[in-house]
Amino acid sequence: MVALAFTGCTGYRLGSTTDFAAGSKSVEVKFFKNTTSEPRLVSAVNHALRKRLQQDGTYRLETRGDADVVITGQISQFLRTPISFVSADVITARDYSVTLVADITATERATGKVLMTRQVTGRTTLRIGTDLASAERQAVPLLAADLAQNATASIVDGDW
């Protein structure tokens, strides 16, 4: 039974999941390009991704351009899908599922080698009050935070 108990935890690692010590390599996040018609996404995504990478601690966040790894990206889709409707009116949506899709690339600065290219998605649910625009404005930071969490997991725990 003791042998079974120890073999159940063989896939877990304590500390960093990379082959280097946490904080020994640095990362720089460049501003993403926005190919959607939705404004305000670039600054929210950039801020959320920097904050998430800094909180994770696997990479040291650089702002001057001397980083080991450079993260670039393009926000390619902003999708709003109705998920529930007003009970008296089947045309008017009450809740939306909002999805943000970004193509992210991690490049090694010294060699120019592309380490990772992935499409990352962020999602949140949006309740519409009296104004769709103000509800979306409030949802953008949540959407960016979810995308940043998924992107950070790909960057830090990636197999590259």
Side-chain angles (χ1 to χ4, degrees):
M1 291 185 91
V2 173
L4 286 174
F6 285 116
T7 59
C9 298
T10 56
Y12 293 100
R13 290 178 64 178
L14 186 60
S16 177
T17 57
T18 58
D19 294 336
F20 53 88
S24 65
K25 290 196 175 190
S26 59
V27 65
E28 177 185 3
V29 179
K30 299 276 190 180
F31 276 99
F32 286 21
K33 294 178 184 174
N34 184 6
T35 60
T36 70
S37 60
E38 187 67 26
R40 303 177 312 274
L41 295 177
V42 172
S43 60
V45 167
N46 189 269
H47 173 72
L49 186 55
R50 286 174 184 237
K51 181 178 178 181
R52 189 69 181 157
L53 283 166
Q54 196 168 27
Q55 285 175 344
D56 180 84
T58 301
Y59 288 95
R60 211 174 52 252
L61 189 63
E62 284 287 336
T63 57
R64 300 269 183 224
D66 296 332
D68 299 315
V69 178
V70 178
I71 306 296
T72 57
Q74 176 176 313
I75 301 170
S76 57
Q77 294 179 21
F78 180 82
L79 306 168
R80 186 184 324 112
T81 308
I83 55 175
S84 70
F85 297 89
V86 175
S87 60
D89 182 6
V90 295
I91 296 175
T92 305
R94 182 175 63 180
D95 295 314
Y96 284 97
S97 173
V98 185
T99 305
L100 186 63
V101 179
D103 302 310
I104 297 178
T105 304
T107 308
E108 192 172 41
R109 180 182 298 281
T111 63
K113 177 183 173 188
V114 175
L115 302 172
M116 178 198 79
T117 300
R118 290 225 170 91
Q119 191 174 65
V120 181
T121 305
R123 291 184 178 86
T124 192
T125 303
L126 175 65
R127 169 69 50 114
I128 303 300
T130 58
D131 184 18
L132 175 64
S134 63
E136 279 185 349
R137 213 173 12 260
Q138 292 174 0
V140 165
L142 299 172
L143 190 60
D146 189 54
L147 183 121
Q149 180 177 353
N150 297 335
T152 300
S154 292
I155 293 165
V156 171
D157 297 332
D159 53 1
W160 46 275

